[in-house]
Amino acid sequence: MTAPRARRPSLRRQLLLGILLPVLALVTFNTWSLYHQALRAADTAYDRTLLASAKAIGELLRVDDAPGPARLLATVPYSALEAFEADNRSRMFFKVTGFQGEMVSGFDDLPPWQGALPDRSVYAALVDFYDDVFRGFPVRVAVLLQPVSGPTGQGMAVIQVAETLELRRTLAQRILVDTLWRQAALLLVIAAVVALVVQRATRPVRELSERLRARDEGDLSPIEARQSPLELQPVVDATNAVMARLAQLLEHQKRFVRDASHQLRTPLAVLKTQVQSARRGDIGPAQALEEIATTVDRATELANQMLALAKVEQLRQQGDPPVSAWPAIVRAVALDLSALIAGKQLDFDLDLAATAPVRAHDWMLRELTRNLLHNAIKQTPAGSALAVRLVADSRTAALTVADSGPGIAPELRSRLFQPFSGGQSAHLAGLGGQAEGSGLGLAICREIVQSLGGSIQLDNRERGGRTEGLDAIVRLPLETR
């Protein structure tokens, strides 16, 4: 049972959420702020109405003219407050308290004022506003301290005017609904604009994916996206680079399969012919086995070299190789081939630098050195000189394998590094001998050197107009870090 696939993030969803969520938070805060500002403005307007009512009552107050202590008189009909009641949806109550705290007029059960005047006020009056409950209804109360004077004396009257909150609540609900639908309409417009912009911004991505999906299976040509946005261009360039590497790898695999099928067919056909000849008794068993063994050796060498050529390409695709000590690898390869050197009684000279670190896989350096040295051993006549030198300067390391063979004819030089070329086979066998090589050794060397950013050259060593041998020179960049 396969595990469920994790839901992949959507660029469009991320853009929408990343833009709309902050906008939604801002609109929500703005709605709350506008609503409370509107409520404060409405409260201020209605509080001014309460203050006007209290002042209207204060104009109706007077001091009794009778002898004795000054006494406050008030004749305030309830009709005096009807002008301040709006739409008959709220009720108003009042109470006038005299100089000595006595009830003068109004609703006696209206709770007395227990507060204090504010230190600062926006009103040009001694007024205080507070919330209270009267007869089971929440009310807003304005308290006005009104000075009253007459012939017999003066004092401070306390006027309380209370209003129920129906109208204020209705207005608050209207303000809230009006603010909400306006902000909701604004949010919808912003969401539509953002969705349209995101849709247009991500259209090149969708078009690019559709073009890639509509391509043929083997189409690895570069993507043409000249009209793509600047932010998408790095993706296009990286995709083209990947497709170029895939095309190169695919071409290498095709060439490898084509060459392998062509080159392996010949030794297999020869081997089949030799087996049939041995079965018929055309040649003796010992001679037949010797010929079969020779053919098998050549086929094995060909297969190994073809696998080595494929491995070079595989290692090339793995990225930066490690740092390897080239002198130690050259010494190890020379030791492995010492039996061949001794068998031909060669005058072998090995001169290696103390250190020459290069960035390369050990296998690549070993294969490169082995191919060059093995080829030089084949070309060097018995008892002749063979020299291997590895020197290093501040930037490069140079390996020179100098044999005493016949060198390279000028007409073969252009085809020397081509796989399965006649030039390689002729050089491997000597200019006048029978070709025994597979034609892959020098091709492998060139692929290794190119993958490491170096160079390889084959130069005839001449003296007095006569070729004394061949110098195979490989230069690789040193790892200085």
Side-chain angles (χ1 to χ4, degrees):
M1 182 178 180
T2 58
R5 295 177 59 185
R7 188 173 183 179
R8 292 174 294 180
S10 168
L11 178 61
R12 189 187 311 176
R13 186 182 299 110
Q14 289 181 8
L15 289 174
L16 288 174
L17 293 180
I19 296 175
L20 290 181
L21 287 182
V23 171
L24 177 61
L26 179 61
V27 169
T28 301
F29 174 77
N30 189 42
T31 301
W32 176 86
S33 177
L34 290 176
Y35 173 67
H36 284 276
Q37 287 179 3
L39 282 184
R40 285 194 297 269
D43 283 340
T44 300
Y46 282 107
D47 286 348
R48 289 184 182 275
T49 302
L50 285 179
L51 177 59
S53 302
K55 287 182 176 181
I57 294 174
E59 293 176 355
L60 301 176
L61 301 181
R62 61 187 177 85
V63 179
D64 190 5
D65 297 336
R71 188 169 63 89
L72 183 67
L73 296 179
T75 305
V76 185
Y78 185 80
S79 60
L81 300 178
E82 290 181 352
F84 299 100
E85 292 182 350
D87 299 336
N88 295 323
R89 283 182 290 178
S90 62
R91 297 184 59 192
M92 299 188 70
F93 310 94
F94 74 96
K95 181 180 180 180
V96 180
T97 304
F99 302 149
Q100 305 300 324
E102 73 278 10
M103 168 67 182
V104 176
S105 179
F107 294 82
D108 183 56
D109 54 343
L110 186 64
W113 175 55
Q114 301 294 333
L117 292 176
D119 296 334
R120 296 182 180 180
S121 176
V122 297
Y123 304 102
L126 301 176
V127 63
D128 181 32
F129 297 93
Y130 65 94
D131 296 319
D132 204 346
V133 176
F134 178 60
R135 296 180 180 179
F137 297 100
V139 292
R140 178 73 169 170
V141 184
V143 178
L144 175 65
L145 302 185
Q146 178 69 43
V148 182
S149 61
T152 59
Q154 61 183 5
M156 188 72 72
V158 179
I159 304 172
Q160 295 174 260
V161 180
E163 181 186 21
T164 56
L165 304 180
E166 291 89 355
L167 189 59
R168 296 185 183 227
R169 289 178 175 175
T170 301
L171 180 60
Q173 293 176 357
R174 184 180 303 170
I175 292 175
L176 178 61
V177 171
D178 185 66
T179 304
L180 285 178
W181 81 259
R182 289 178 183 274
Q183 297 300 316
L186 175 62
L187 184 62
L188 289 177
V189 171
I190 294 175
V193 172
V194 170
L196 179 62
V197 171
V198 171
Q199 182 75 8
R200 289 175 60 89
T202 56
R203 183 170 60 186
V205 179
R206 297 191 302 274
E207 292 177 352
L208 179 61
S209 63
E210 289 297 331
R211 289 168 56 187
L212 290 175
R213 190 179 296 110
R215 281 194 167 201
D216 294 335
E217 193 173 297
D219 187 3
L220 295 177
S221 59
I223 303 172
E224 292 293 338
R226 298 178 181 177
Q227 304 299 326
S228 62
L230 183 62
E231 292 77 10
L232 190 60
Q233 195 60 43
V235 178
V236 175
D237 294 340
T239 303
N240 286 338
V242 172
M243 295 178 71
R245 291 198 299 268
L246 289 176
Q248 181 181 1
L249 182 60
L250 183 61
E251 180 61 27
H252 176 80
Q253 291 177 344
K254 289 180 178 179
R255 185 171 64 250
F256 176 80
V257 172
R258 181 177 63 250
D259 293 341
S261 61
H262 175 70
Q263 296 299 323
L264 289 176
R265 186 180 296 114
T266 300
L268 291 178
V270 172
L271 182 61
K272 183 176 181 181
T273 302
Q274 291 172 339
V275 171
Q276 292 175 348
S277 177
R279 285 179 175 176
R280 291 195 302 266
D282 296 340
I283 57 177
Q287 182 181 355
L289 290 176
E290 183 178 356
E291 292 179 355
I292 291 174
T294 301
T295 304
V296 170
D297 289 341
R298 292 179 182 175
T300 302
E301 180 185 5
L302 174 61
N304 290 335
Q305 288 187 328
M306 295 186 68
L307 292 175
L309 193 61
K311 187 173 182 179
V312 171
E313 185 65 25
Q314 179 185 4
L315 293 178
R316 189 204 301 254
Q317 301 296 327
Q318 292 182 1
D320 291 339
V323 177
S324 301
W326 200 3
I329 294 176
V330 174
R331 185 178 292 106
V333 171
L335 183 61
D336 291 342
L337 299 179
S338 59
L340 296 179
I341 297 173
K344 299 186 69 172
Q345 298 179 352
L346 300 179
D347 182 10
F348 185 65
D349 180 28
L350 184 64
D351 183 12
L352 304 178
T355 177
V358 294
R359 185 167 289 280
H361 293 278
D362 287 355
W363 180 89
M364 282 188 168
L365 294 178
R366 188 178 299 108
E367 190 71 18
L368 171 64
T369 306
R370 181 183 296 275
N371 274 291
L372 293 178
L373 185 54
H374 190 269
N375 183 44
I377 293 173
K378 285 185 177 181
Q379 302 309 309
T380 304
S384 300
L386 174 62
V388 177
R389 294 187 303 274
L390 178 61
V391 296
D393 55 22
S394 60
R395 300 180 61 182
T396 60
L399 174 68
T400 302
V401 180
D403 63 36
S404 300
I408 302 174
E411 64 271 11
L412 301 179
R413 185 173 294 276
S414 61
R415 297 181 287 119
L416 206 56
F417 292 103
Q418 297 177 5
F420 308 109
S421 68
Q424 285 198 53
S425 299
H427 173 63
L428 288 170
L431 291 178
Q434 181 182 0
E436 295 180 356
S438 65
L440 276 178
L442 293 179
I444 294 174
C445 293
R446 185 191 61 174
E447 292 294 327
I448 293 176
V449 170
Q450 288 182 347
S451 67
L452 299 179
S455 63
I456 182 172
Q457 64 185 68
L458 302 177
D459 297 329
N460 289 335
R461 192 173 61 257
E462 298 182 356
R463 177 180 297 178
R466 187 175 64 87
T467 301
E468 292 186 344
L470 179 72
D471 290 344
I473 305 173
V474 175
R475 291 182 176 87
L476 297 179
L478 278 179
E479 178 64 25
T480 57
R481 290 180 295 175

